Amino acid sequence: MADYYKRLGVEKDSDADTIKKAYRKLAMEYHPDRNSSPDAEENFKRVTEAYEVLRDPEQRQLYDRFGEAGIKRSAGGGPAGGFGGFDFADAFEVFMREFGGMGFGDIFGGRASRTSGPRRGGDLKLRLKVSLEEAARGVERGVKIKVLDSCSRCGGSGAEPGTAPERCGTCNGAGEVRQVQRSMLGQFVSVRPCPDCGGAGERILSPCSECSGEGRVRIDRTVQLQVPAGVSTDDYLKLSGRGNAGRGGGPRGDVLVLVEVESDPRFQRVGDDLVYNLAVTMSQAALGADIEVPTIIDGNAMLKIPQGIQSGQALRLRGRGMPRLRDSGRGDQVVRVLVWTPTSLTREERDLLEQLREVESEPPEPDTEEPGFWERVKRAFTA
Ligand SMILES: [Zn+2]
Ligand SMILES: [Zn+2]
């Protein structure tokens, strides 16, 4: 047998005020608009059913004496031991009757107010492609958007000037209609925008000739975007209040700009660092050299290749990488030096290399000399 006191977590001799408070707390917890767990609706229904009996002194007395059988509703006639036809629609009705006038409608998106009255306009989302160099410098861009503006002819009401909208008879101005469907799983209540007024709660008999009754018109506008230096792909720019105008005088939405930084054939971005691959000849690697390398925004930089550099070794040009978006300073340009072995030789090169072979020393055995060299080889293969 269902214990309604237990369901609400109250004592058998609790007063009406305590019961109401207990119900309110549980209903708020289980309300399907706030609680997405699968049994939230069932729990909401159960605590509401219990409350509905215990709040009424007569029902409560019957329940105390005869249990559920004493308060079985005549209407509905649910399955034996079930809820006697008490379904979610009933539960919701009880909840709104008790708390609907206390601002809880707003917390839950207000079933009725959700579809009528002023509403915030939609956000506009757009993608913006910038080159890696633009991302490094920062860039200002004018971007064309199609945005909904309040109609100036009707002032956003949607009604032809001189006429007024009329309350919708289908939904009585609520803007929504409820449908109860019965299925094997029980009753299913769906709430949907009123088909006759589209959720506005009122109908426009003489639509504005400019906006056809929508109250808003789509216009082309150019917005200036300030892309800060250091942005990365998937960073967002947000222009607050620059999106679509709201219905019925509601606030404007935002413009959200999703940045996409195009890849650059020269540089590979790793966080705030830029990796540049530099091929050097065998003699440059052995003897050392000064080589010009391109940077992202500082022109060419002179890089000193130390003598004896190994293939794969990295050199850093400090502060020549990407600006840090949320910090000062810039990352580094990492120059990865790769020793290029010639694939075809001139006669002279062949002669010189053969002479070199006669006199050059052997490369090191693994893990003997040149530990730095073998460390780097290991790292190159595990990276
Ligand atoms: Zn208009
Ligand atoms: Zn309607």
Side-chain angles (χ1 to χ4, degrees):
M1 183 184 113
D3 187 335
Y4 290 156
Y5 292 98
K6 246 189 200 153
R7 272 192 206 171
L8 293 177
V10 295
E11 299 296 327
K12 273 213 145 145
D13 56 358
S14 298
D15 60 19
D17 203 43
T18 307
I19 288 170
K20 184 166 182 171
K21 271 186 190 145
Y23 166 62
R24 175 171 143 176
K25 188 166 167 284
L26 290 167
M28 296 287 279
E29 189 182 325
Y30 291 131
H31 196 292
D33 279 5
R34 309 179 106 192
N35 188 327
S36 57
S37 75
D39 39 1
E41 182 167 322
E42 185 62 27
N43 283 325
F44 179 72
K45 203 166 79 179
R46 286 166 61 85
V47 296
T48 306
E49 184 196 21
Y51 172 69
E52 194 57 342
V53 170
L54 299 184
R55 74 172 184 94
D56 180 342
E58 211 178 291
Q59 293 271 310
R60 186 177 176 181
Q61 209 180 23
L62 285 168
Y63 174 73
D64 285 344
R65 287 181 65 188
F66 305 111
E68 261 180 298
I71 45 91
K72 207 89 170 163
R73 291 175 168 213
S74 50
F83 297 111
F86 194 86
D87 65 17
F88 181 70
D90 296 329
F92 187 74
E93 225 69 82
V94 169
F95 180 80
M96 287 310 281
R97 181 198 67 214
E98 294 294 331
F99 305 117
M102 299 170 66
F104 290 108
D106 294 334
I107 293 176
F108 298 117
R111 294 268 162 159
S113 64
R114 176 183 290 167
T115 50
S116 62
R119 266 176 298 158
R120 184 178 177 275
D123 294 334
L124 285 180
K125 295 184 181 122
L126 49 115
R127 278 179 169 280
L128 180 71
K129 281 191 182 185
V130 297
S131 67
L132 185 65
E133 187 179 335
E134 287 172 324
R137 292 185 191 279
V139 65
E140 191 180 332
R141 278 273 186 83
V143 174
K144 280 206 171 107
I145 56 172
K146 286 191 180 301
V147 65
L148 287 171
D149 257 7
S150 185
C151 173
S152 54
R153 179 172 170 83
C154 62
S157 75
E160 186 68 4
T163 71
E166 186 178 84
R167 181 186 168 107
C168 171
T170 308
C171 62
N172 271 321
E176 62 173 25
V177 287
R178 289 162 160 278
Q179 280 188 342
V180 179
Q181 288 163 330
R182 287 190 182 274
S183 75
M184 271 164 58
L185 301 171
Q187 284 195 7
F188 176 73
V189 183
S190 62
V191 181
R192 61 188 65 196
C194 171
D196 287 343
C197 62
E202 46 189 30
R203 274 194 282 188
I204 292 159
L205 299 180
S206 319
C208 164
S209 61
E210 183 69 29
C211 63
S212 310
E214 156 67 28
R216 300 179 297 178
V217 284
R218 196 172 289 281
I219 59 149
D220 290 314
R221 178 171 293 155
T222 301
V223 290
Q224 289 298 319
L225 301 175
Q226 292 281 353
V227 182
V231 288
S232 304
T233 290
D234 290 345
D235 279 341
Y236 263 109
L237 305 176
K238 184 171 151 188
L239 304 178
S240 295
R242 304 286 297 278
N244 288 331
R247 268 181 209 276
R252 297 191 82 103
D254 302 328
V255 176
L256 301 171
V257 184
L258 184 62
V259 175
E260 186 183 328
V261 180
E262 293 173 306
S263 62
D264 187 297
R266 301 167 299 166
F267 301 101
Q268 187 193 337
R269 184 174 186 176
V270 181
D272 296 323
D273 289 342
L274 294 173
V275 178
Y276 178 80
N277 287 324
L278 176 70
V280 299
T281 65
M282 295 186 296
S283 60
Q284 283 174 325
L287 301 170
D290 290 330
I291 298 178
E292 274 198 343
V293 292
T295 66
I296 187 71
I297 52 174
D298 306 294
N300 284 346
M302 193 60 82
L303 181 69
K304 195 165 196 61
I305 309 285
Q307 70 164 76
I309 195 164
Q310 302 294 348
S311 195
Q313 198 167 337
L315 301 171
R316 273 176 191 269
L317 290 168
R318 302 238 172 246
R320 297 293 173 88
M322 297 295 284
R324 300 186 208 285
L325 185 60
R326 288 167 193 86
D327 209 342
S328 60
R330 288 168 62 186
D332 299 335
Q333 178 169 327
V334 178
V335 179
R336 189 158 52 184
V337 176
L338 300 160
V339 177
W340 181 70
T341 309
T343 50
S344 63
L345 299 169
T346 63
R347 181 74 196 239
E348 192 184 9
E349 283 170 333
R350 181 175 294 277
D351 288 347
L352 288 169
L353 283 169
E354 278 172 356
Q355 283 179 47
L356 176 63
R357 187 165 58 183
E358 297 302 312
V359 297
E360 72 186 354
S361 41
E362 295 284 308
E365 293 288 321
D367 289 323
T368 49
E369 298 158 87
E370 304 277 354
F373 173 77
W374 292 112
E375 266 307 299
R376 268 195 303 283
V377 172
K378 256 185 242 162
R379 252 185 282 143
F381 283 101
T382 53

